[in-house]
Amino acid sequence: EDQVTQSPEALRLQEGESSSLNCSYTVSGLRGLFWYRQDPGKGPEFLFTLYSAGEEKEKERLKATLTKKESFLHITAPKPEDSATYLCAVQGGNSGSARQLTFGSGTQLTVLP
Amino acid sequence: NAGVTQTPKFQVLKTGQSMTLQCAQDMNHEYMSWYRQDPGMGLRLIHYSVGAGITDQGEVPNGYNVSRSTTEDFPLRLLSAAPSQTSVYFCASTRGGSNYGYTFGSGTRLTVV
Protein backbone atom coordinates (compact mmCIF):
# COMPACT_ATOMS: atom_id res chain seq x y z
CA GLU A 1 0.00 0.00 0.00
CA ASP A 2 1.36 3.39 -0.99
CA GLN A 3 1.80 5.90 1.84
CA VAL A 4 2.63 9.61 1.93
CA THR A 5 3.51 11.62 5.04
CA GLN A 6 3.98 15.37 4.95
CA SER A 7 5.69 17.54 7.55
CA PRO A 8 5.28 19.88 9.18
CA GLU A 9 1.48 20.04 9.32
CA ALA A 10 1.67 23.83 9.55
CA LEU A 11 4.44 26.36 8.97
CA ARG A 12 4.51 30.10 9.60
CA LEU A 13 7.22 32.16 7.93
CA GLN A 14 8.08 35.80 7.75
CA GLU A 15 8.18 37.27 4.26
CA GLY A 16 11.61 36.52 2.80
CA GLU A 17 12.35 33.68 5.24
CA SER A 18 13.23 30.62 3.14
CA SER A 19 12.28 27.10 4.27
CA SER A 20 11.45 23.59 3.07
CA LEU A 21 8.45 21.30 3.22
CA ASN A 22 8.96 17.55 3.46
CA CYS A 23 7.12 14.68 1.79
CA SER A 24 8.14 11.15 2.80
CA TYR A 25 6.74 8.28 0.81
CA THR A 26 6.67 4.51 0.48
CA VAL A 27 5.52 3.17 -2.85
CA SER A 28 5.86 0.05 -4.95
CA GLY A 29 7.56 1.31 -8.09
CA LEU A 30 7.31 5.09 -8.23
CA ARG A 31 5.74 6.33 -11.44
CA GLY A 32 5.60 9.94 -10.35
CA LEU A 33 5.57 12.28 -7.35
CA PHE A 34 3.30 15.29 -7.64
CA TRP A 35 3.14 18.60 -5.79
CA TYR A 36 -0.05 20.63 -5.66
CA ARG A 37 -1.00 23.97 -4.16
CA GLN A 38 -4.46 24.39 -2.64
CA ASP A 39 -5.97 27.74 -1.69
CA PRO A 40 -8.90 27.89 0.77
CA GLY A 41 -12.19 26.92 -0.85
CA LYS A 42 -10.54 25.84 -4.10
CA GLY A 43 -9.36 22.66 -5.73
CA PRO A 44 -5.69 21.64 -5.80
CA GLU A 45 -3.59 23.30 -8.49
CA PHE A 46 -0.86 21.26 -10.16
CA LEU A 47 2.72 22.47 -9.58
CA PHE A 48 5.27 19.76 -10.44
CA THR A 49 5.80 16.13 -11.34
CA LEU A 50 9.07 14.39 -10.42
CA TYR A 51 9.92 10.95 -11.75
CA SER A 52 13.32 9.80 -10.51
CA ALA A 53 15.76 10.39 -7.67
CA GLY A 54 17.95 13.41 -8.26
CA GLU A 55 15.41 15.23 -10.37
CA GLU A 56 14.68 18.89 -9.62
CA LYS A 57 12.05 21.31 -10.95
CA GLU A 58 11.56 25.02 -10.34
CA LYS A 59 8.75 27.49 -10.68
CA GLU A 60 9.23 31.06 -9.49
CA ARG A 61 10.14 30.83 -5.76
CA LEU A 62 9.44 27.08 -5.56
CA LYS A 63 11.90 24.26 -6.16
CA ALA A 64 11.00 20.59 -5.80
CA THR A 65 13.59 17.85 -5.32
CA LEU A 66 13.31 14.07 -5.12
CA THR A 67 15.22 11.26 -3.43
CA LYS A 68 14.34 7.58 -3.20
CA LYS A 69 12.43 8.12 0.04
CA GLU A 70 11.34 11.75 0.14
CA SER A 71 10.72 14.96 -1.71
CA PHE A 72 11.31 18.51 -0.60
CA LEU A 73 9.54 21.66 -1.68
CA HIS A 74 11.94 24.53 -1.11
CA ILE A 75 10.47 28.00 -0.87
CA THR A 76 12.95 30.81 -1.42
CA ALA A 77 12.19 34.32 -0.15
CA PRO A 78 8.45 33.62 0.17
CA LYS A 79 5.79 36.27 -0.22
CA PRO A 80 2.36 36.44 1.46
CA GLU A 81 0.76 35.24 -1.79
CA ASP A 82 2.61 31.93 -1.35
CA SER A 83 0.36 31.19 1.63
CA ALA A 84 -1.59 28.01 0.85
CA THR A 85 -1.74 24.32 1.65
CA TYR A 86 0.83 22.31 -0.28
CA LEU A 87 -0.09 18.72 -1.10
CA CYS A 88 2.20 15.89 -2.10
CA ALA A 89 0.96 12.78 -3.95
CA VAL A 90 2.51 9.65 -5.43
CA GLN A 91 1.52 7.40 -8.26
CA GLY A 92 2.80 3.91 -7.67
CA GLY A 93 3.37 0.93 -9.90
CA ASN A 94 0.26 -0.77 -8.53
CA SER A 95 -2.01 2.03 -9.76
CA GLY A 96 -2.22 0.21 -13.07
CA SER A 97 -3.96 1.83 -15.99
CA ALA A 98 -5.89 4.11 -13.69
CA ARG A 99 -2.90 6.30 -12.78
CA GLN A 100 -4.40 6.97 -9.38
CA LEU A 101 -2.74 9.12 -6.78
CA THR A 102 -2.16 8.65 -3.05
CA PHE A 103 -2.11 12.02 -1.26
CA GLY A 104 -0.52 13.25 1.94
CA SER A 105 -2.54 15.40 4.32
CA GLY A 106 -0.68 18.56 3.35
CA THR A 107 1.37 21.37 4.88
CA GLN A 108 -0.46 24.60 5.60
CA LEU A 109 1.96 27.45 4.87
CA THR A 110 1.38 30.98 6.15
CA VAL A 111 3.71 33.78 5.07
CA LEU A 112 3.44 36.89 7.19
CA PRO A 113 4.18 40.34 5.73
CA ASN B 1 -11.73 26.69 -21.81
CA ALA B 2 -13.54 26.02 -18.51
CA GLY B 3 -11.43 23.02 -17.33
CA VAL B 4 -13.27 20.90 -14.75
CA THR B 5 -16.67 22.20 -13.67
CA GLN B 6 -18.43 20.91 -10.58
CA THR B 7 -21.97 21.64 -9.46
CA PRO B 8 -23.36 22.44 -6.99
CA LYS B 9 -20.73 24.26 -4.91
CA PHE B 10 -22.64 23.74 -1.66
CA GLN B 11 -25.32 21.25 -0.65
CA VAL B 12 -27.09 20.29 2.56
CA LEU B 13 -28.85 16.91 2.66
CA LYS B 14 -30.89 15.11 5.23
CA THR B 15 -29.87 11.61 6.24
CA GLY B 16 -31.29 9.11 3.78
CA GLN B 17 -31.69 11.53 0.88
CA SER B 18 -30.01 10.87 -2.45
CA MET B 19 -28.36 13.29 -4.82
CA THR B 20 -25.96 13.57 -7.74
CA LEU B 21 -22.82 15.67 -7.82
CA GLN B 22 -22.10 16.80 -11.35
CA CYS B 23 -18.67 16.95 -12.98
CA ALA B 24 -17.86 17.99 -16.53
CA GLN B 25 -14.55 18.62 -18.31
CA ASP B 26 -13.95 20.18 -21.71
CA MET B 27 -10.32 19.09 -22.21
CA ASN B 28 -11.06 15.70 -23.81
CA HIS B 29 -9.31 13.96 -20.92
CA GLU B 30 -9.52 10.16 -20.72
CA TYR B 31 -9.05 9.81 -16.98
CA MET B 32 -11.51 11.17 -14.45
CA SER B 33 -11.69 10.66 -10.70
CA TRP B 34 -13.70 11.59 -7.64
CA TYR B 35 -11.96 12.36 -4.35
CA ARG B 36 -13.22 13.37 -0.96
CA GLN B 37 -11.22 15.63 1.34
CA ASP B 38 -11.59 15.48 5.09
CA PRO B 39 -9.57 17.42 7.69
CA GLY B 40 -6.27 15.74 8.50
CA MET B 41 -6.88 12.83 6.11
CA GLY B 42 -5.83 14.15 2.73
CA LEU B 43 -7.65 13.41 -0.49
CA ARG B 44 -9.08 9.90 -0.76
CA LEU B 45 -10.15 8.27 -4.01
CA ILE B 46 -13.80 7.26 -4.27
CA HIS B 47 -14.25 6.10 -7.88
CA TYR B 48 -12.41 6.59 -11.13
CA SER B 49 -12.81 6.10 -14.87
CA VAL B 50 -10.22 5.45 -17.58
CA GLY B 51 -12.63 6.21 -20.41
CA ALA B 52 -16.27 6.34 -21.45
CA GLY B 53 -18.11 3.24 -20.27
CA ILE B 54 -15.32 2.16 -17.87
CA THR B 55 -15.43 2.82 -14.14
CA ASP B 56 -13.91 1.24 -11.06
CA GLN B 57 -13.75 1.61 -7.28
CA GLY B 58 -11.15 3.53 -5.38
CA GLU B 59 -10.22 3.52 -1.70
CA VAL B 60 -13.60 4.60 -0.22
CA PRO B 61 -16.40 3.60 -2.66
CA ASN B 62 -19.14 2.52 -0.24
CA GLY B 63 -22.31 4.59 -0.51
CA TYR B 64 -21.40 6.07 -3.90
CA ASN B 65 -22.10 5.17 -7.52
CA VAL B 66 -20.66 6.55 -10.76
CA SER B 67 -21.21 6.21 -14.48
CA ARG B 68 -19.34 7.52 -17.52
CA SER B 69 -21.57 7.63 -20.57
CA THR B 70 -19.52 10.35 -22.30
CA THR B 71 -15.90 11.50 -22.19
CA GLU B 72 -16.96 14.85 -20.74
CA ASP B 73 -19.23 13.90 -17.83
CA PHE B 74 -18.60 11.87 -14.69
CA PRO B 75 -21.41 12.25 -12.12
CA LEU B 76 -21.16 10.95 -8.56
CA ARG B 77 -24.35 9.62 -6.96
CA LEU B 78 -24.96 9.37 -3.24
CA LEU B 79 -27.48 6.61 -2.79
CA SER B 80 -28.66 7.25 0.79
CA ALA B 81 -26.76 10.08 2.45
CA ALA B 82 -25.19 9.55 5.86
CA PRO B 83 -23.50 12.05 8.20
CA SER B 84 -20.18 10.27 7.53
CA GLN B 85 -20.41 11.51 3.95
CA THR B 86 -20.12 15.13 5.09
CA SER B 87 -17.02 16.25 3.22
CA VAL B 88 -15.63 18.29 0.35
CA TYR B 89 -15.78 16.42 -2.94
CA PHE B 90 -13.40 17.04 -5.81
CA CYS B 91 -13.58 15.83 -9.36
CA ALA B 92 -10.34 15.65 -11.35
CA SER B 93 -9.27 14.72 -14.86
CA THR B 94 -6.09 14.12 -16.82
CA ARG B 95 -5.03 13.01 -20.29
CA GLY B 96 -3.22 9.78 -21.02
CA GLY B 97 0.51 9.60 -20.34
CA SER B 98 2.31 10.24 -17.08
CA ASN B 99 3.63 13.71 -17.89
CA TYR B 100 0.50 15.55 -16.83
CA GLY B 101 -0.91 16.24 -13.43
CA TYR B 102 -4.58 15.99 -12.67
CA THR B 103 -6.73 19.10 -13.15
CA PHE B 104 -9.15 19.54 -10.27
CA GLY B 105 -12.53 21.19 -10.09
CA SER B 106 -13.33 23.75 -7.40
CA GLY B 107 -15.18 21.25 -5.23
CA THR B 108 -18.60 20.60 -3.73
CA ARG B 109 -19.01 21.10 0.01
CA LEU B 110 -21.60 18.60 1.23
CA THR B 111 -23.18 18.56 4.67
CA VAL B 112 -25.42 15.68 5.73
CA VAL B 113 -27.58 16.38 8.77
Side-chain angles (χ1 to χ4, degrees):
Chain A
E1 180 181 335
D2 301 341
Q3 291 189 333
V4 177
T5 302
Q6 292 187 247
S7 62
E9 291 185 8
L11 181 63
R12 292 167 67 92
L13 300 174
Q14 290 295 135
E15 185 172 2
E17 180 186 2
S18 301
S19 188
S20 297
L21 313 183
N22 177 263
C23 171
S24 297
Y25 65 90
T26 55
V27 65
S28 177
L30 181 69
R31 289 189 174 184
L33 184 140
F34 300 78
W35 281 99
Y36 286 84
R37 169 190 171 127
Q38 186 175 23
D39 293 301
K42 296 188 176 181
E45 176 187 350
F46 172 70
L47 293 173
F48 305 109
T49 309
L50 302 168
Y51 297 102
S52 59
E55 188 174 1
E56 299 182 352
K57 288 192 177 176
E58 291 188 61
K59 180 179 181 179
E60 297 181 354
R61 295 175 293 282
L62 300 178
K63 178 180 177 180
T65 62
L66 181 65
T67 73
K68 289 186 178 180
K69 294 183 178 181
E70 56 192 351
S71 177
F72 293 93
L73 186 64
H74 307 276
I75 304 176
T76 302
K79 298 181 178 182
E81 53 261 42
D82 295 321
S83 297
T85 296
Y86 291 86
L87 302 173
C88 174
V90 296
Q91 182 189 5
N94 291 331
S95 66
S97 62
R99 299 184 58 237
Q100 297 312 309
L101 303 178
T102 299
F103 281 85
S105 55
T107 293
Q108 184 176 4
L109 175 67
T110 303
V111 182
L112 303 171
Chain B
N1 191 346
V4 178
T5 302
Q6 289 185 239
T7 56
K9 293 189 181 301
F10 301 94
Q11 183 71 49
V12 178
L13 287 180
K14 293 182 178 180
T15 298
Q17 287 185 319
S18 62
M19 76 160 296
T20 299
L21 308 185
Q22 301 292 342
C23 175
Q25 52 93 6
D26 61 358
M27 299 170 285
N28 201 31
H29 285 173
E30 299 173 46
Y31 299 86
M32 296 187 74
S33 302
W34 276 102
Y35 290 86
R36 60 177 289 173
Q37 187 173 40
D38 302 292
M41 299 190 70
L43 287 149
R44 293 182 292 167
L45 180 66
I46 304 171
H47 285 286
Y48 63 90
S49 170
V50 299
I54 306 170
T55 64
D56 207 343
Q57 298 180 351
E59 180 185 355
V60 288
N62 292 340
Y64 308 95
N65 273 354
V66 291
S67 60
R68 184 104 179 265
S69 57
T70 66
T71 299
E72 294 78 20
D73 299 301
F74 191 43
L76 177 71
R77 297 182 186 85
L78 279 70
L79 308 174
S80 177
S84 60
Q85 293 179 304
T86 294
S87 187
V88 182
Y89 292 85
F90 289 101
C91 179
S93 72
T94 189
R95 67 182 71 185
S98 58
N99 291 328
Y100 307 98
Y102 274 86
T103 300
F104 282 80
S106 58
T108 295
R109 183 174 294 275
L110 175 69
T111 302
V112 182
V113 297

